[in-house]
Amino acid sequence: MQARIDEIAEGIFRLSVHVPDIAPPAGFTFNHFLVMGDEPLLFHTGLRRMFPLLRDAVARLIPPERLRWISFGHYEADECGAMNEWLAVAPNALVAHGQTGALVSLNDMADRAPRVLQDQEAIDIGGRRLRYIDTPHIPHGWDAGVLMDDASGTLLCGDLFTQLGDGPALTTGDIVGPAIQAEDLFRYSSLNPRMGATIRRLAELAPKRLALMHGPSFEGDGAAALRALADDYDRRMRGDLGALAA
Ligand SMILES: [Fe+2]
Ligand SMILES: [Fe+2]
């Protein structure tokens, strides 16, 4: 088994692993993004048991020990299960995450103290800057956040827009419909009253590209896709509140 590697934006490589046994027959895809710079950053470490596969994939692009930054959406096995394996192979690497992630999990769970990013703080990886944005509980996890590469207009949006299957690396097609289907199936999001507003704030970034953790990367009007997703979560909230009141 090998990860499939595609460059979805200049210097941003998608390392994709499809697992047919999860949610068959479509299966489920795990994507990890290596962002190139003088200090390369990996967004999503991969599951702990997937580490050898990911290490080999990264090694096709850079010597793994050159990795400098490890970041991810929130503390969960597929997002960061292999962080300590990465810290072990890359002696200069640090985990970079938000204040909540550090306080709640990473100060204890990461083998080296993390670099703590404030909301909207940019991390300079040498040649490009990635902005960290807090999105608490969205789509799940108190510590949840995303990274925005302003230069290429790419939003590393983690579990937002999760879908099933093994699609193309990059699509210009619909990603909202498949995300609604996956939400109906998994119920993976922590529905909360701020959800629509927080996702609409991401739309203000006007991303040209959305790098999904579970699904193809999307190229096109990212703001429109985010607003449509926000509308669907608002609809779900209204439905759930209506059902509770009935
Ligand atoms: Fe997650
Ligand atoms: Fe995930």
Side-chain angles (χ1 to χ4, degrees), residues 75-88:
Y75 190 80
E76 208 172 35
D78 60 332
E79 274 78 12
C80 67
M83 74 179 163
N84 287 325
E85 281 75 1
W86 283 111
L87 291 176

Side-chain angles (χ1 to χ4, degrees), residues 60-83:
R60 279 148 63 197
L61 298 166
I62 58 166
E65 60 272 18
R66 256 199 69 210
L67 194 66
R68 176 71 171 93
W69 300 107
I70 297 162
S71 195
F72 40 85
H74 46 272
Y75 190 80
E76 208 172 35
D78 60 332
E79 274 78 12
C80 67
M83 74 179 163

Side-chain angles (χ1 to χ4, degrees), residues 73-79 139-141 158-160 162 188 213-214:
H74 46 272
Y75 190 80
E76 208 172 35
D78 60 332
E79 274 78 12
H140 50 243
D159 285 343
L160 285 169
T162 285
Y188 67 91
M213 180 177 203
H214 309 286

Side-chain angles (χ1 to χ4, degrees), residues 171-203:
T171 182
T172 55
D174 176 38
I175 56 164
V176 180
I180 290 172
Q181 284 170 18
E183 184 65 57
D184 286 341
L185 179 72
F186 292 132
R187 301 271 169 201
Y188 67 91
S189 294
S190 310
L191 284 192
N192 68 80
R194 294 217 189 121
M195 195 151 190
T198 305
I199 297 175
R200 279 188 200 93
R201 234 184 20 249
L202 297 178

